[in-house]
Amino acid sequence: MNSEIARLVAKRLVIAVITLLIVSFAVFFATAMLPGDTASILLGQSATPEAVAGLRQAMHLDDPAMLRFLRWGLGFLTGDLGKSYANDMPISVLVSGRFVNTMQLAGITALISIPFALTLGITSAVMQGSLYDRIVTIVTIGVISVPEFMVASTAVLIFAVYLKWLPAISLVNEVHSLYDLLRMYAMPVMTLTFVVSAQIIRMTRAAVIETLSTPYVEMARLKGASRSRIVLRHALPNALGPIVNALALSLSYLIGGVIIIETIFNYPGIAKLMVDAVATRDLPLIQTCAVIFCAGYLILITIADIIAIISNPRLR
């Protein structure tokens, strides 16, 4: 059985690597097809055709697309991400600081959203059919139905424009105290927590309800076990696999959510860096940021698949 699990896990990892190669190929050629000439944008409208042609040759933009893709892909694999067209700086330097900021935002969101969502999901499942369960379900469905940019825009209108409690943009470089840190992260984390928690609550509730209806839980209930003992000793350990799988799947939504939130709140992360790179047609920087996001998403989805395989014998 262990060899079978190892074979299936290895299969999922191979699929993830192949998917990342396909995505990197698609990202490269999609960015290469963006309208506008990179050399003309960098030199400005007053540039002469000779200067534009010289810059294109210096940046190897006249080389065949497949050759540029192979050069970029080999450099990416060896850790040489190249230089930014707009900043003339190594992309690794630009990305490293922004990557830390994005991971901080995602980490804080996960630390808040996971306990909050698990508590609501488990208690809602235990109190299935009650008024509390109905309220949690209605609010959860409502949050899922609203896109991230709408939640973020509403938060800005309420807390920044009308109440003036929080800043509309998150300037992390201006943090000098714990109070500043809390104010800068409050609205981005709150928005992402709303989106991620709603998914976790629904999936956790479904997993616990399914476990509570199993025969061994019914037997424990007939033996007179208390509700807390049934949930903690019988239901949760057996629902742990689906719950962890739900966490991995839900956290993958952070990838898309971070892109929107960083743009709205002007948060200095990788997503904001990629959006700025699109404006300047900084192709190597766009490609690197996009592949990083795709790799993060694939890692979370692969972890979810592996957990599902290990915890659910029917998938083997």
Side-chain angles (χ1 to χ4, degrees):
M1 185 64 67
N2 290 335
S3 61
E4 183 180 358
I5 294 176
R7 180 177 59 82
L8 291 172
V9 169
K11 182 179 178 180
R12 289 296 191 278
L13 292 175
V14 170
I15 292 174
V17 172
I18 295 175
T19 304
L20 185 60
L21 291 175
I22 296 173
V23 167
S24 62
F25 184 85
V27 166
F28 181 88
F29 284 96
T31 53
M33 293 173 62
L34 287 173
D37 182 72
T38 303
S40 300
I41 294 174
L42 293 176
L43 292 177
Q45 296 181 351
S46 60
T48 62
E50 293 77 12
V52 173
L55 183 59
R56 287 183 58 84
Q57 184 176 5
M59 294 192 302
H60 304 286
L61 295 177
D62 292 329
D63 293 343
M66 185 57 69
L67 177 61
R68 288 187 285 124
F69 172 73
L70 292 176
R71 187 186 298 122
W72 171 73
L74 292 175
F76 194 92
L77 292 175
T78 57
D80 181 13
L81 304 180
K83 280 191 173 184
S84 168
Y85 289 164
N87 300 285
D88 195 27
M89 292 176 58
I91 292 178
S92 58
V93 175
L94 291 172
V95 168
S96 58
R98 299 294 189 99
F99 181 78
V100 172
N101 291 339
T102 297
M103 289 298 100
Q104 286 178 349
L105 179 59
I108 294 173
T109 301
L111 287 175
I112 295 175
S113 61
I114 290 176
F116 172 73
L118 289 179
T119 301
L120 289 181
I122 294 171
T123 54
S124 179
V126 172
M127 302 172 65
Q128 182 183 7
S130 64
L131 178 62
Y132 171 80
D133 179 39
R134 293 193 185 98
I135 293 174
V136 172
T137 301
I138 292 172
V139 173
T140 301
I141 294 175
V143 172
I144 292 174
S145 304
V146 180
E148 293 93 335
F149 73 88
M150 189 68 179
V151 177
S153 301
T154 304
V156 170
L157 287 174
I158 295 175
F159 296 104
V161 177
Y162 294 117
L163 298 178
K164 301 185 185 302
W165 289 352
L166 300 170
I169 58 177
S170 298
L171 300 177
V172 180
N173 296 330
E174 297 183 3
V175 173
H176 304 293
S177 64
L178 179 60
Y179 176 71
D180 293 337
L181 181 67
L182 293 175
R183 293 183 77 247
M184 293 301 169
Y185 277 99
M187 283 205 289
V189 170
M190 179 177 61
T191 304
L192 286 174
T193 298
F194 263 76
V195 177
V196 175
S197 296
Q199 297 287 347
I200 298 176
I201 290 170
R202 290 186 69 247
M203 300 175 80
T204 301
R205 178 181 179 275
V208 175
I209 288 176
E210 182 179 359
T211 306
L212 288 174
S213 62
T214 54
Y216 57 83
V217 173
E218 292 291 340
M219 182 62 67
R221 187 179 291 112
L222 291 174
K223 288 182 177 180
S226 62
R227 176 180 291 184
S228 60
R229 181 180 178 84
I230 291 174
V231 173
L232 297 177
R233 294 291 300 274
H234 299 281
L236 280 182
N238 292 281
L240 189 61
I243 289 176
V244 176
N245 183 44
L247 290 177
L249 286 172
S250 299
L251 290 178
S252 65
Y253 289 100
L254 276 176
I255 304 299
V258 162
I259 295 176
I260 298 172
I261 299 307
E262 287 187 6
T263 304
I264 292 178
F265 293 107
N266 200 30
Y267 182 83
I270 292 184
K272 185 65 171 61
L273 183 66
M274 183 173 67
V275 172
D276 295 339
V278 172
T280 58
R281 300 298 187 273
D282 198 341
L283 302 185
L285 186 55
I286 298 172
Q287 293 153 4
T288 300
C289 293
V291 170
I292 289 174
F293 277 114
C294 293
Y297 182 83
L298 285 173
I299 289 172
L300 290 172
I301 293 299
T302 303
I303 292 174
D305 287 342
I306 292 174
I307 293 172
I309 290 172
I310 295 175
S311 62
N312 192 347
R314 290 175 296 180
L315 298 178
R316 299 175 190 173

